[in-house]
Amino acid sequence: MIEIEARKEAASRAARLDAVFAALADPTRRAIIERLSRREARVTEVAEPFDMSLNAVSKHIRVLEASGMVERHRKGRDHILSVNTRSLDEVDGWIGRMRRYWGERLDAMERLLRELKKNRKSGPKDRKHGSR
Amino acid sequence: MIEIEARKEAASRAARLDAVFAALADPTRRAIIERLSRREARVTEVAEPFDMSLNAVSKHIRVLEASGMVERHRKGRDHILSVNTRSLDEVDGWIGRMRRYWGERLDAMERLLRELKKNRKSGPKDRKHGSR
């Protein structure tokens, strides 16, 4: 049972990552996120700078809502959009893990290079521990 | 001329971000990146753990290569795949910028909350600067 729950949780985490990455794979949607990161805004305000129909922008907004990155609440007659500041945590976590792997590999490469340089500096002339 | 160059550069940066985010919006492709982050590998080694045809995995690999995240070189008869460790820099930069915006907003909120708490603590009883 616990294993099934863990697998379900992993599957839904993967599905959330799929949705967030797919949502971010479009320049209009990234621009909307940048806009809303500065300040929440009405749908019409979000659409204003784009050279496309309100309907086209609304479709992009729905993709962002489905991914969990954008939230909507009503204030009187207005629909107010805002970013969910926790929505990038999982993406950040994933990228951070990759960076750590790479970091370790780069560190190892750096150590090797330093070692090689040191050996070159101490050269054959004043080498203390020569090969026998 | 300089403006045209700058616009071209911005457009190609956007296209690269589109490709990287789209490439990451799939669990198999993310698993391949995780695998290659630990150590470079032959195509057949990369395909091995997946319950899909070599052809299906090869398609995913081609998407990753097109995004610039995975590189291929030949070693004798083998095709060796490795991750391009710089490919996530732009993604990281974009997410970092969003985080800074959010961070500033969260900081402002925190300051406000602290202010409110302080006012509550100093309460009506021992309030020094009451409202006049």
Side-chain angles (χ1 to χ4, degrees):
Chain A
M1 267 309 270
I2 289 170
E3 203 188 321
I4 292 172
E5 283 305 313
R7 238 183 270 172
K8 264 192 207 162
E9 167 55 26
S12 76
R13 196 179 328 128
R16 283 197 301 275
L17 273 177
D18 287 5
V20 169
F21 279 128
L24 290 174
D26 179 279
T28 303
R29 291 198 289 267
R30 287 197 301 275
I32 292 172
I33 290 283
E34 294 194 37
R35 167 77 179 77
L36 291 175
S37 291
R38 283 190 282 267
R39 176 187 304 276
E40 60 175 30
R42 286 193 294 272
V43 174
T44 47
E45 289 172 327
V46 168
E48 208 266 329
F50 297 108
D51 192 20
M52 52 175 88
S53 69
L54 182 62
N55 194 35
V57 175
S58 291
K59 271 186 200 164
H60 283 305
I61 291 172
R62 278 199 294 277
V63 173
L64 288 168
E65 286 184 86
S67 78
M69 303 189 75
V70 163
E71 289 169 338
R72 180 192 296 248
H73 66 272
R74 294 192 67 156
K75 212 181 234 173
R77 289 192 306 178
D78 291 327
H79 287 246
I80 310 289
L81 301 170
S82 59
V83 279
N84 173 1
T85 52
R86 287 154 306 166
S87 62
L88 280 189
D89 285 354
E90 248 157 337
V91 173
D92 241 14
W94 190 86
I95 290 180
R97 217 158 65 233
M98 295 305 101
R99 286 234 171 262
R100 270 197 300 283
Y101 287 139
W102 294 346
E104 283 162 21
R105 288 181 59 197
L106 293 173
D107 287 351
M109 232 187 292
E110 218 168 52
R111 272 197 302 275
L112 183 70
L113 279 171
R114 239 192 335 255
E115 207 56 36
L116 287 171
K117 269 193 204 160
K118 212 166 63 184
N119 287 350
R120 182 126 62 103
K121 246 190 209 152
S122 63
K125 210 171 51 183
D126 52 45
R127 187 184 298 230
K128 281 180 184 103
H129 314 284
S131 58
R132 309 172 195 201
Chain B
M1 267 310 269
I2 289 169
E3 202 188 323
I4 292 173
E5 283 306 313
R7 238 183 272 173
K8 263 193 207 161
E9 166 56 26
S12 75
R13 198 180 325 130
R16 284 197 301 275
L17 273 177
D18 288 5
V20 169
F21 280 128
L24 290 173
D26 179 278
T28 303
R29 290 198 290 267
R30 287 196 301 275
I32 293 173
I33 290 282
E34 293 193 37
R35 168 77 181 75
L36 292 175
S37 291
R38 283 190 282 267
R39 177 186 303 276
E40 60 175 30
R42 286 193 295 272
V43 174
T44 47
E45 289 171 327
V46 168
E48 208 266 329
F50 297 108
D51 191 20
M52 52 175 86
S53 69
L54 182 62
N55 193 36
V57 175
S58 290
K59 269 185 200 166
H60 283 305
I61 291 172
R62 278 199 293 277
V63 173
L64 288 168
E65 286 184 85
S67 78
M69 302 188 76
V70 163
E71 290 169 338
R72 180 191 295 249
H73 66 272
R74 295 192 66 156
K75 212 181 233 173
R77 289 193 306 177
D78 290 327
H79 287 247
I80 309 288
L81 301 171
S82 59
V83 278
N84 173 1
T85 52
R86 286 153 305 164
S87 62
L88 279 189
D89 286 353
E90 247 158 337
V91 173
D92 242 14
W94 190 86
I95 290 179
R97 218 159 63 235
M98 294 305 101
R99 285 233 172 263
R100 270 197 299 284
Y101 286 139
W102 295 346
E104 283 162 21
R105 289 181 58 197
L106 293 173
D107 287 351
M109 233 187 292
E110 218 168 52
R111 272 197 301 276
L112 183 68
L113 278 172
R114 243 196 327 261
E115 206 57 36
L116 287 170
K117 270 192 202 159
K118 212 166 63 185
N119 288 349
R120 184 124 63 102
K121 247 190 208 151
S122 63
K125 210 171 52 181
D126 52 45
R127 185 186 296 232
K128 280 181 185 105
H129 314 284
S131 58
R132 308 176 196 195

